[in-house]
Amino acid sequence: SSGNDGRMEISVYDKANVGEGGASSVAGGLLHPFSPRGKLVHFGLDALEHSNHLIEMASRHHADCILRRCIYRVALTSKHVAQLQQTAEHYPQMTTWISKEEMHDNFGIIDSMGGLMLRNGCKVIHVPS
């Protein structure tokens, strides 16, 4: 909705209680179309496209609402490695596998087993914006 001062607000409603499921149980501010296991969610690409459109419009008024234009997901177990590498194989236009050595050299992360960079519309946004 638009207020009298020209600001636009978007409200998200969830049938579950806060933290108990649905939209309220996910990490706020991380925008991407993947499940925790790295699978593309139903309508995920459409939702990403529409969300990015709204966020780009908001950033015209508040440039700081976009904190990062990519997301890094750290793999801490061999199961995470397999899931995230599979995501990188299936969605190369949006994701890149990062080796354990690269994670250490580029980010100083010592205890990872590698990681996944999510880009091309995936981003970190400032939630209060």
Side-chain angles (χ1 to χ4, degrees):
S1 68
S2 269
N4 291 337
D5 60 359
R7 294 183 322 154
M8 182 177 284
E9 295 182 18
I10 300 170
S11 300
V12 177
Y13 297 93
D14 192 348
K15 63 182 177 183
N17 291 326
V18 174
E20 293 182 5
S24 66
S25 69
V26 297
L30 301 180
L31 180 64
H32 62 84
F34 300 104
S35 74
R37 292 187 175 95
K39 305 277 188 195
L40 189 63
V41 298
H42 189 60
F43 292 121
L45 293 176
D46 288 336
L48 181 66
E49 179 183 344
H50 292 290
S51 297
N52 272 308
H53 176 73
L54 292 170
I55 291 165
E56 291 300 326
M57 288 175 49
S59 72
R60 293 178 193 161
H61 304 283
H62 296 283
D64 61 346
C65 71
I66 300 172
L67 300 176
R68 302 278 182 281
R69 293 198 177 267
C70 66
I71 300 171
Y72 294 94
R73 173 112 188 255
V74 178
L76 299 174
T77 67
S78 56
K79 185 176 179 180
H80 288 155
V81 170
Q83 290 170 339
L84 298 178
Q85 284 179 335
Q86 186 174 35
T87 302
E89 288 175 26
H90 286 99
Y91 305 101
Q93 71 282 11
M94 298 184 78
T95 63
T96 303
W97 174 252
I98 304 170
S99 71
K100 175 181 180 173
E101 294 76 24
E102 290 173 298
M103 292 294 283
H104 177 264
D105 294 346
N106 294 329
F107 307 107
I109 300 173
I110 298 169
D111 57 351
S112 84
M113 297 179 75
L116 189 68
M117 179 176 68
L118 295 93
R119 61 188 190 296
N120 199 10
C122 302
K123 57 181 54 103
V124 182
I125 60 171
H126 184 247
V127 176
S129 297

